[in-house]
Amino acid sequence: MFDPRIDKHLIADQGELVIDEVHKHWAAHVGAVLELCGGLVVLALSVLVPAQAWWLPFTAGAAIAAHAGWRILERRMDRFVITNMRVFRVHGILSQRIATMPLARILDISVHKPFIGRIFGYGHFVFESAAQEQGLREIRFVGDPDRRGLTIQRVIQQAGLRGSVPGQPFPVAAQPAPPPPDLPAVPASEAAEAWATQPHVRLAPPQREPGPKTGWDWLADAQQREHAHLARLRGEDPGEGPAPFDPDGTPTSPIPLPR
């Protein structure tokens, strides 16, 4: 009854494993233990008071001791668990409460170590998450907080939710895709049709089909001129470029006029 039974809260069929189970540091029980000692002292006074009033210190001492015992048991039932998928907290005696936070929602972890905590080796975790789960906002009296903070960071890193560290195999950076190979030259009519239907496909400069000119020869000539211009900008030898294209089919020399 007084065991939180962490195993029953695991997603066993998905391979969830417990990385660390955090109990409250013994410093969390100091106040309750002092209260228990005070209750026992008050309880002992029942034998020193007059017989008619023995019940008064006895009742007060028993109530104080019972309250202190409840506080000790409550802290003993409070567990913070780190798994390979999430972090969750189980607490409560008669009624049990569970607060869960997936690793992907953890944005930041702050560790507060008071002066007394630095002496006795405990601290408090403060989680900043996307969901702002109130049950996991602050985890108090965590023993060895530095080591457990690194454990959480390591689990997050191994889950692939943070950037990779040099020398680590995860996560693997995506390699740039190789450039698409140049396609062979195609006739002008086929190039025009492919350009109209698939403008994202990169084709080699089309070559004019042998034979009489067709309506698509102007496109082949324009693309050849563009290809030669780009080659000259890159410092390459474009070779002998195509002849200038005259849409009217007329010579470019001046027309002799009668005087």
Side-chain angles (χ1 to χ4, degrees), residues 6 9 16 77-83 85-92 95-103 105-106 127 129 131-139:
I6 299 300
H9 301 293
E16 185 176 21
M77 294 284 292
D78 195 341
R79 305 289 175 85
F80 176 67
V81 183
I82 306 169
T83 73
M85 297 181 181
R86 54 180 174 150
V87 294
F88 65 92
R89 179 189 178 194
V90 180
H91 59 111
S95 60
Q96 194 175 68
R97 286 165 292 189
I98 305 173
T100 302
M101 183 190 303
L103 295 177
R105 291 181 177 267
I106 299 178
F127 286 90
S129 68
Q132 292 295 329
E133 292 283 350
Q134 296 300 323
L136 284 171
R137 182 69 175 82
E138 187 176 7
I139 307 298

Side-chain angles (χ1 to χ4, degrees), residues 6-7 10-21 81-88 103 155:
I6 299 300
D7 294 341
L10 299 178
I11 312 174
D13 56 342
Q14 298 296 325
E16 185 176 21
L17 301 174
V18 175
I19 305 300
D20 193 6
E21 182 178 349
V81 183
I82 306 169
T83 73
N84 57 339
M85 297 181 181
R86 54 180 174 150
V87 294
F88 65 92
L103 295 177
V155 171

Side-chain angles (χ1 to χ4, degrees), residues 32 36 64-74:
L36 178 61
I64 294 174
H67 183 264
W70 181 271
R71 290 176 59 189
I72 294 174
L73 185 60
E74 185 179 29

Side-chain angles (χ1 to χ4, degrees), residues 3-77:
D3 184 5
R5 298 180 61 185
I6 299 300
D7 294 341
K8 72 177 183 179
H9 301 293
L10 299 178
I11 312 174
D13 56 342
Q14 298 296 325
E16 185 176 21
L17 301 174
V18 175
I19 305 300
D20 193 6
E21 182 178 349
V22 182
H23 299 253
K24 289 288 186 182
H25 191 266
W26 60 264
H29 302 278
V30 172
V33 171
L34 293 177
E35 182 182 359
L36 178 61
C37 294
L40 294 177
V41 171
V42 175
L43 190 64
L45 293 177
S46 61
V47 300
L48 301 177
V49 299
Q52 295 82 1
W54 68 270
W55 59 271
L56 185 60
F58 181 85
T59 304
I64 294 174
H67 183 264
W70 181 271
R71 290 176 59 189
I72 294 174
L73 185 60
E74 185 179 29
R75 283 159 176 73
R76 184 180 180 277
M77 294 284 292

Side-chain angles (χ1 to χ4, degrees), residues 58-191:
F58 181 85
T59 304
I64 294 174
H67 183 264
W70 181 271
R71 290 176 59 189
I72 294 174
L73 185 60
E74 185 179 29
R75 283 159 176 73
R76 184 180 180 277
M77 294 284 292
D78 195 341
R79 305 289 175 85
F80 176 67
V81 183
I82 306 169
T83 73
N84 57 339
M85 297 181 181
R86 54 180 174 150
V87 294
F88 65 92
R89 179 189 178 194
V90 180
H91 59 111
I93 301 176
L94 299 181
S95 60
Q96 194 175 68
R97 286 165 292 189
I98 305 173
T100 302
M101 183 190 303
L103 295 177
R105 291 181 177 267
I106 299 178
L107 303 179
D108 186 32
I109 305 174
S110 301
V111 180
H112 172 61
K113 292 186 290 184
F115 178 71
I116 300 298
R118 296 182 64 183
I119 296 176
F120 294 105
Y122 71 87
H124 313 304
F125 280 172
V126 180
F127 286 90
E128 297 291 341
S129 68
Q132 292 295 329
E133 292 283 350
Q134 296 300 323
L136 284 171
R137 182 69 175 82
E138 187 176 7
I139 307 298
R140 299 179 59 82
F141 295 101
V142 177
D144 198 359
D146 293 333
R147 181 180 63 83
R148 288 192 159 108
L150 290 176
T151 298
I152 298 176
Q153 297 290 349
R154 189 177 297 110
V155 171
I156 295 175
Q157 179 73 24
Q158 291 176 352
L161 302 176
R162 298 277 174 87
S164 61
V165 178
Q168 297 293 333
F170 49 82
V172 179
Q175 299 295 331
D182 293 334
L183 298 179
V186 296
S189 58
E190 296 182 11

Side-chain angles (χ1 to χ4, degrees), residues 186-201 203 206 209 215-220 223:
V186 296
S189 58
E190 296 182 11
E193 182 179 359
W195 195 11
T197 57
Q198 301 181 20
H200 62 278
V201 177
L203 298 175
E209 296 179 5
W216 293 106
D217 287 342
W218 66 270
L219 178 59
Q223 289 186 347

